[in-house]
Amino acid sequence: MIKAYLIDLDGTLYHGRHRIEGADKLIHTLNEQGMPYLFVTNNSSRTPQGVADHLNGMGIPADASQVCTSAVAAAEYVAQESPGAKVACIGEEGLSQAIEAAGLTLTDDEPEYVIQGIDREFSYHKLTKALRWINGGSKSVMTNPDLQLPSDDGLTPGAGTIGAAIEAATGVHPTVIGKPSSIIMKSAISRLNLKSDEVAVIGDNMRTDIAAGAAAGCETLLVLTGITTRDNMDSHIQATKVRPDHVFEDLHKLIEWLSQTTSQASKKG
């Protein structure tokens, strides 16, 4: 029985600054049902409060405590492995704040870890520092493997593109935290204090959201509002070797299913 949901953002609830039809109603429906949920995003540039502000600005109710970013998950991963570790940050505000909030020490001097996310001021100088740190023994951690990011004026390079440059320079494959890795999903599930088979993942991307949900042992709900469409779904299934448990044409169809599922559960109870 599903007791909570992990919800993707870009492509599922919005496109950039534009809300997807039904996104606000979806969250209102979950709130009315008293159903717990978290927003899970590969975005490492925004803080949880920044993500919540972005959602609220589009009329989608959100609180920072409901947001799980790849930056927060990466920082928590390192803090669990090595509490108080010295960490070099290649990233933006969302990542540096997450590192400090996890009780880790930000440094450029012989770090034990290099945590890398999206960094729109990435340079040859930063690549050189990452090369020397990692070749000197620092562990390499990447917030998320997204190669491209959508923007208002077209695609831009993502954290995965920067990570590819660092991996090419060092020959070291990083520990990847964000989707399709199960690490970020397990981090979110632990915050809900539930078992993975009690949680369902809602997302638009077979290669990230649905693959990560399946890897974590969650039920998966694909909405055809973003990356994966009816036309490319089969190729995504072949690429991921994963098939979603449920497929919905839009958020309104998902909401109908949620209402039916809740009604059936109430009758059984």
Side-chain angles (χ1 to χ4, degrees):
M1 179 177 173
I2 299 305
K3 297 181 178 179
Y5 292 89
L6 301 180
I7 308 170
D8 175 57
L9 295 180
D10 204 349
T12 299
L13 298 186
Y14 59 74
H15 292 133
R17 291 179 292 179
H18 303 287
R19 186 180 73 203
I20 292 174
E21 179 68 27
D24 52 342
K25 186 178 179 182
L26 170 64
I27 302 306
H28 284 301
T29 298
L30 292 174
N31 287 335
E32 288 171 359
Q33 294 175 350
M35 181 67 72
Y37 58 88
L38 292 175
F39 301 108
V40 181
T41 175
N42 271 3
N43 188 313
S44 67
S45 63
R46 287 193 178 114
T47 63
Q49 185 60 58
V51 173
D53 290 344
H54 185 63
L55 287 167
N56 282 306
M58 289 183 288
I60 302 172
D63 186 84
S65 64
Q66 297 172 304
V67 178
C68 182
T69 71
S70 64
V72 171
E76 289 177 349
Y77 172 84
V78 171
Q80 289 171 5
E81 188 171 270
S82 301
K86 295 169 61 179
V87 175
C89 172
I90 296 178
E92 299 181 2
E93 180 185 18
L95 183 54
S96 61
Q97 285 196 16
I99 290 169
E100 292 183 319
L104 302 168
T105 302
L106 277 171
T107 184
D108 281 347
D109 183 24
E110 298 183 353
E112 298 165 75
Y113 291 82
V114 176
I115 305 182
Q116 174 256 314
I118 186 66
D119 186 339
R120 278 161 281 212
E121 294 185 357
F122 188 66
S123 63
Y124 188 80
H125 177 62
K126 289 185 179 182
L127 178 59
T128 300
K129 290 201 295 184
L131 164 63
R132 292 173 181 173
W133 286 328
I134 295 168
N135 279 5
S138 300
K139 293 183 179 180
S140 180
V141 176
M142 184 166 64
T143 59
N144 64 287
D146 299 6
L147 295 173
Q148 299 175 338
L149 295 176
S151 71
D152 291 336
D153 58 356
L155 292 173
T156 60
T161 298
I162 296 172
I166 294 173
E167 181 174 353
T170 62
V172 174
H173 184 68
T175 297
V176 179
I177 304 299
K179 299 175 282 187
S181 169
S182 65
I183 294 175
I184 190 172
M185 312 307 278
K186 290 178 179 178
S187 173
I189 292 166
S190 69
R191 286 171 59 175
L192 292 166
N193 198 28
L194 293 171
K195 298 176 182 178
S196 59
D197 61 2
E198 297 175 317
V199 178
V201 174
I202 300 172
D204 71 294
N205 192 331
M206 278 292 305
R207 296 175 185 248
T208 55
D209 311 316
I210 304 306
C218 300
E219 191 167 328
T220 55
L221 284 60
L222 175 68
V223 287
L224 303 179
T225 52
I227 296 295
T228 301
T229 65
R230 284 288 178 191
D231 290 337
N232 64 27
M233 190 190 310
D234 286 343
S235 65
H236 285 188
I237 290 172
Q238 291 175 7
T240 59
K241 304 295 188 291
V242 169
R243 187 175 293 275
D245 294 305
H246 305 277
V247 180
F248 304 93
E249 293 296 330
D250 53 37
L251 293 179
H252 292 297
K253 293 294 185 184
L254 170 61
I255 293 165
E256 288 177 13
W257 180 85
L258 289 173
S259 298
Q260 291 170 3
T261 302
T262 301
S263 176
Q264 291 169 2
S266 297
K267 290 177 182 178
K268 289 180 181 179

